[in-house]
Amino acid sequence: MVALCIANSNMAFLLERLQQYGDVHGPVRGDDGVVRFAALTPGVLPDLSAVRTLLSPKKYLLHPLETILTYTELSGYQVPLEEPRHLILFGLHPCDLAGISYLDRIFLGDDPDPLYATRRSALTLIGVTCSPDEFCSCQISPSPLEAASDMFLSSVDDGFAVTSTSSRGAELLAGVKELLVERDGDLPEDTRFFFGRATSIQERPDPDPALPEWQEYAEHCLGCGACSLCCPTCSCFDVLEFGALDGGSAERVRRWDNCLFKSHAQVAGGMSFRKNRAERFRYRYHHKYRGFGPLQGIPACVGCGRCRVACPTGLDLRPLAEQLEGGGS
Amino acid sequence: MRKLRLAIAGLTACSGCQLSLLNCEDELPALMAQFEFHFFPLACSPAVLEGEYDAAIVEGCLSMPHEKELLHELRKRSRYLIALGTCAAWGGVTALRNGEDRELMRQQVYGQSPVAVETFDPLPLGSLVLVDAAVTGCPPEKEELLKLLAGLTQGALPVENDYPVCTECRMRENLCLLTERDMLCLGPLTLGGCHARCPTLSASCEGCRGPVPEANVKEYLALCAKTGRDEEAVLGRLHRFWPGWVL
Amino acid sequence: MNNSLPLPATVLAIRSLSVDTSLITLRTESNHPVSAAFLPGQFLELSLPGFGEVPISYCGLPSSDGAVELCIRHVGHVTTPLKDAHPGDVLAVRGPFGRGFPLSTYFGQALLLIAGGLGLAPLRSLLLALLKQRDSFGRIIVLYGARETGALLFADELLEMKKRGGIELQLAVDHHDQCLDGPPGCRVALLPALLDQLAVDPERTFASICGPPVVYPYLVSGLRQLGLGNVQIHLSLERRMKCGIGRCGHCAVGNRLCCIDGPVFSAEELAGIEGGFV
Amino acid sequence: MSNLRKLDMLTRVEGHGSVELIRDGERVVDARLNLFESPRLFEALLVGRRFDEIPDIACRICSICSTVHKVAALQGVEQALGISISRQTGLLRELAVQGGQIESHALHIFCLALPDYLGVSGFQELAASVPEKLQMGLRIKKLGNQIQAIVGGRAIHPFNLLVGGLARVPDTGQLRFLSEELAAASTDVAASIAYIFNLNEILPTLALVPSCAVSGGPSLFGDCLVTSVGTSIPVKQSARWLNERIEGHTHAKVSHFDETTPFMVGPLARLLLSMPAEHVHRFTDRSIKSALKARVVELQLAVRRAQELIEYLVTDGLKNEPLSAVGHVQGEGAALVEAPRGVLLHSYRFNDRGICRAANIVTPTAINQGAIAVSLKALIATMDGAGYAQVKRSAEMLVRCYDPCISCAVH
Ligand SMILES: Cc1cc2nc3c(=O)[nH]c(=O)nc-3n(C[C@H](O)[C@H](O)[C@H](O)COP(=O)(O)OP(=O)(O)OC[C@H]3O[C@@H](n4cnc5c(N)ncnc54)[C@H](O)[C@@H]3O)c2cc1C
Ligand code: SF4
Ligand code: SF4
Ligand code: SF4
């Protein structure tokens, strides 16, 4: 088979060329050693060897804190119009691609979320091969979620083989063609292999609340929120409204939330449907490995390993999941 | 439209919370359009309480008898009483040695000379009167103070946060000082809302906003112990803004 | 359809029902689904500008003129200031959301409506719908309990329905002393105790319940003793909700989302689920 | 409410105090400043804390002066523990302190003092009567805060300043921004000088007590105290020399020269001790009523000095530096810095585990109490026959000339 390849030495040119199609963001290692998705401006190259970024690319689609509605007495509630800026996310690992397809299922569809949909339609996804480390679990329990991208870079000696996987991808590929060389040889299998495979999980009884693990998690959890903030599929949000100083207008914001926080299931009068942290861990477990509502049966965990890396006390639901879910289907 | 009448008072404190208001240089005109700063001794004369107030915004903790009187008076006259800042909400830095011998402390400062000052261990406002809302921080964030005031113009009090500083720190994608730099960052135990001001500049959170609900002190201490920190020292550090920490 | 944007709704009338509860009638766009096409048990999201948005059950019947009745308990950040709403004030609504009571399944059946406190709000909507086609249903028994006499909502309305022979009614309050001047027939009893002396045809009866979550386990076991199966018992659940459309992640019950799979669930669906009846 | 009315608060100053008039029959014979601020016992609070906690706690003494308290505490701790800081750290700290100076002076001039001159109650009435002047003042004030926020991380209680250095060094872009703002502000500052010097006098000319300031002039830093009577006292001896005493009617200790002679610190004292040539002609009357003028002149000095500091920093090139190492854990040390209101001394002693065993903080308003008493006496003497209310008003305005900061004074 013939593959179109980009040499590592040509990467900067490729990025420069891509910039003609929109802002290009990718994993960048900061001075502090933290890898974050950030702008790949001329001179800033992506760190394609990094296993994971601190926050997942969901930050581009669902901002940590954003205004979802504005209110004025004259025009009532309005969705804030956002100029859709073309954004190319470069160097996404298959787990992050799967994470985006999970978010798509929640926020697109018949009744798409206006802000999400606007941003999503302006987004181009360029995936890249990765090599999982001991925190990754995509290889342990494959996900039914598709690792869908527009373009994909598969690692080959001193470069990447570039394939387009959508019409948008084909357009970009055509635009960067001169930078690519044809090479013979089969593409190596990559971690996309673990995604879009299992169709659905079988019905299982609810995890037993008496398992000692819940209490252990609860005792060690600092409630810092890191696990869900960096998770590519955690998308709980809180909604708040603030009146403005003019005494009449207001804005409504949504903010990333975490199911381990006290208020997550609290209702008026202080009553809570998940008073203790152990219950909340079961809730988290449910979401990550069983799925809710329309996504029932679709585990949300894409195996990126972020929560395990981020948790200051090293909490990890994975071993329990392997025990209860039987290592995937 | 009637302007809302405010009483802005300082008890035992550094005036930082009141100054935070005066530091809203850009917003002062808009604030003056909505509010009458009727009682505000720091910035306006004369200091006379008169009639009723839509809100009393009170800085500082209680540490002298006459402050209790003033607070009762403010409570009586005001629809809402708001604790502004960590001293008012939690006791703050002045409560650092609560529970120790006050006379001994007095002597450390004034020696044996008989200076007649009647003070007691600093207390937060809520220990004496009903507090309708609190904006914490030492000093409070301008943004939160302005949100409070904007809310008041529409009759709303702020909704409480329940997440720690870490949450906003991670949202900003900062390097974690606690786990990656072995610094004594109090982010996990401290109420969020400051957008992780300090860790964002690589300075440890010193806990200036008071405790977050459900703070897991035990686990935090265990984490510190793992890196060889002395529990006494960590607890000492925790007490900087709130004397009430318990295991 | 855009379910994310609240549409203006003008307060037509506000009437106090008890110390902490009011009936607010709003006028929205006429023939809009938010007022014209909902099922009893469904809810809408009501916005008070500057304060926020809360899920509120429909309390009346769909109408083509845009009128919506909501029964609101003033308990917190958004609902308390609604106490001071005045005719002419502009609020905002979006909906209808969720799955309501399965009216079509109820055809030809006897209905046992059990409400505790504010839980009467969605059941009033159901009751009005049943009475509109009174002949299509068997017995309609309403069991309604509240903390005290003053907290019984719509008592006059219920007594009137009873007088007209449309429904069988039992009222109860928790506290003895306040019951003295209660409406005729009001007993001092806890809600589940009202089931004790009840005789129903267990084959042909459905129960529809809405009330404080604490009584649910008792009501369900009481109904089971009457011979009702789990599929014949429908409960409306309350959960924290921030969007109403299955996104904010707060309201899951087991694997289901209260806002789209509920708020009305059958006891069958909730059986064995942690937190289902709590 | 009885006690409250008795409190009779002095307004438009930081903290809690009152001016009490002493009467003999109908005649007012004396006046004194009472500080009834709660003593928070900071010097005791600090005992038992580790050296690196000292500045974080000490800066909470006062918000208006928090940056300078922080810096004085840092330098005191560093003196005690043999920590030497880099030139960059020194420049940045001074920049922050100049920012504090700008903020504090602008606040005093345009919000706290100006109402006295225009006969209004406060900033709300200023907004109605002289809106552009208030706006101008607020612009300058905001710039002072921006400087403190960029260097210190926050306008009040700057957390970015640490023992041995900074948590994060601001970047060139931020400093350039400040530099541009400072350049733009010089017009406002010049206009402020013109405006303030043209205000009608509200107080009589009253003789001054001797002046005292830290040796460094407009840099606000220095290693000894200098006085208008020719003394020069190194920092090590200044605590003893400042000689704090406890006097009954105030919660703050009082300082006197040679046991008995009161002296004055603050903007006017600083200028009188190192007057820039261009301003000499403006301060010929040597009276406390010129304090406001001194402040507005200092505003200009601070703006210029801040620009200079930024120039040095940018020319040197900003770099992230590790915090300087601790020389020795045990030791004793003190530092002097000019706070907006005058000489500020922080001095500490640490044991062999770096734990604070003794703290001594001397603040400008505490020092100024003696001078204020002298001024009040002199004022009363010139107002013989005036009514109570009139004397009271003048006495309060006089006290405001010293811009007392009562939280600092009492701490
Ligand atoms: C399906 C459904 C139908 C409801 N129908 C009615 C009704 O007909 N009449 C009525 O008075 N109340 C009803 N409620 C409850 C009502 O939504 C809450 O009382 C209201 O959200 C409280 O908001 P608050 O801001 O006043 O209170 P706060 O306690 O200040 O609430 C803060 C936030 O918590 C959340 N929250 C608090 N309580 C609840 C709750 N019970 N349910 C969901 N979220 C909550 C909200 O997001 C709210 O914004 C219903 C709730 C649900 C889920
Ligand atoms: S990251 Fe760990 S400590 Fe933090 S909330 Fe998640 S589980 Fe708890
Ligand atoms: S640096 Fe501090 S606030 Fe930030 S995540 Fe770490 S512990 Fe939390
Ligand atoms: S990070 Fe901590 S110390 Fe800093 S402002 Fe926030 S709460 Fe205060």
Side-chain angles (χ1 to χ4, degrees), chain C residues 100-180:
Chain C
F101 291 102
L103 261 187
S104 51
T105 335
Y106 292 168
F107 276 104
Q109 308 285 323
L111 266 300
L112 181 54
L113 273 51
I114 311 176
L118 184 66
L120 188 65
L123 291 188
R124 175 178 180 260
S125 171
L126 176 60
L127 189 54
L128 293 173
L130 297 174
L131 291 179
K132 245 178 105 176
Q133 307 172 53
R134 182 65 193 88
D135 298 343
S136 313
F137 307 96
R139 289 171 71 190
I140 300 177
I141 309 163
V142 177
L143 311 181
Y144 180 35
R147 258 170 301 131
E148 59 218 10
T149 328
L152 284 168
L153 308 173
F154 301 108
D156 296 348
E157 205 176 298
L158 292 171
L159 290 167
E160 182 62 30
M161 291 173 185
K162 180 184 175 189
K163 212 165 85 190
R164 291 222 210 99
I167 62 169
E168 297 163 49
L169 176 68
Q170 288 199 38
L171 298 175
V173 291
D174 297 354
H175 304 299
H176 185 63
D177 46 334
Q178 276 117 329
C179 185
L180 295 176

Side-chain angles (χ1 to χ4, degrees), chain A residues 12-167:
Chain A
F13 299 111
L14 176 71
L15 292 167
E16 205 173 292
R17 194 62 67 81
L18 288 175
Q19 269 147 17
Q20 294 169 359
Y21 295 88
D23 295 345
V24 184
H25 283 220
V28 176
R29 191 176 293 275
D31 295 340
D32 52 8
V34 174
V35 184
R36 312 170 175 87
F37 276 101
L40 299 175
T41 45
V44 180
L45 284 175
D47 182 344
L48 293 179
S49 65
V51 182
R52 59 182 70 77
T53 51
L54 201 161
L55 292 184
S56 78
K58 88 174 167 204
K59 69 178 183 183
Y60 290 106
L61 290 163
L62 203 60
H63 297 173
L65 179 71
E66 62 182 330
T67 301
I68 53 170
L69 290 172
T70 57
Y71 175 86
T72 59
E73 275 162 282
L74 202 65
S75 14
Y77 285 98
Q78 298 283 318
V79 177
L81 283 180
E82 205 177 86
E83 199 50 27
R85 228 179 129 57
H86 277 288
L87 178 67
I88 300 171
L89 285 185
F90 185 87
L92 295 162
H93 291 175
C95 52
D96 282 346
L97 293 169
I100 291 173
S101 64
Y102 188 83
L103 297 179
D104 285 350
R105 293 191 193 204
I106 301 176
F107 291 93
L108 299 178
D110 302 342
D111 174 28
D113 178 80
L115 293 174
Y116 185 97
T118 311
R119 292 173 194 149
R120 184 66 180 90
S121 65
L123 195 60
T124 304
L125 306 175
I126 302 184
V128 71
T129 317
C130 58
S131 16
D133 67 6
E134 74 275 20
F135 292 103
C136 297
S137 60
C138 55
Q139 72 283 24
I140 299 171
S141 44
S143 165
L145 296 161
E146 294 271 329
S149 60
D150 294 297
M151 204 191 240
F152 200 84
L153 272 57
S154 318
S155 176
V156 293
D157 320 324
D158 63 272
F160 294 91
V162 186
T163 42
S164 85
T165 40
S166 75
S167 53

Side-chain angles (χ1 to χ4, degrees), chain B residues 165-167 169-170 174-179 185-188 196 199 205:
Chain B
V165 169
C166 292
T167 301
C169 189
R170 298 295 191 158
N174 293 332
L175 173 82
C176 177
L177 304 174
L178 182 71
T179 59
C185 182
L186 300 187
C205 168

Side-chain angles (χ1 to χ4, degrees), chain A residues 220-227 258 260 281 307 310-313 315:
Chain A
H220 294 301
C221 175
L222 290 170
C224 71
C227 48
N258 181 314
L260 300 171
F281 265 101
C307 57
C311 178
T313 65
L315 292 183

Side-chain angles (χ1 to χ4, degrees), chain A residues 266-269, chain C residues 43 53-57 71-73 75-80 118 121 237-242 263:
Chain A
Q266 199 168 300
V267 295
Chain C
F43 66 98
E53 193 178 51
V54 289
I56 300 292
S57 303
C71 173
I72 291 166
R73 177 158 290 172
V75 288
H77 185 73
V78 177
T79 49
T80 302
L118 184 66
L237 300 195
E238 176 199 20
R239 284 296 180 276
R240 184 184 184 90
M241 284 179 191
K242 284 295 183 180

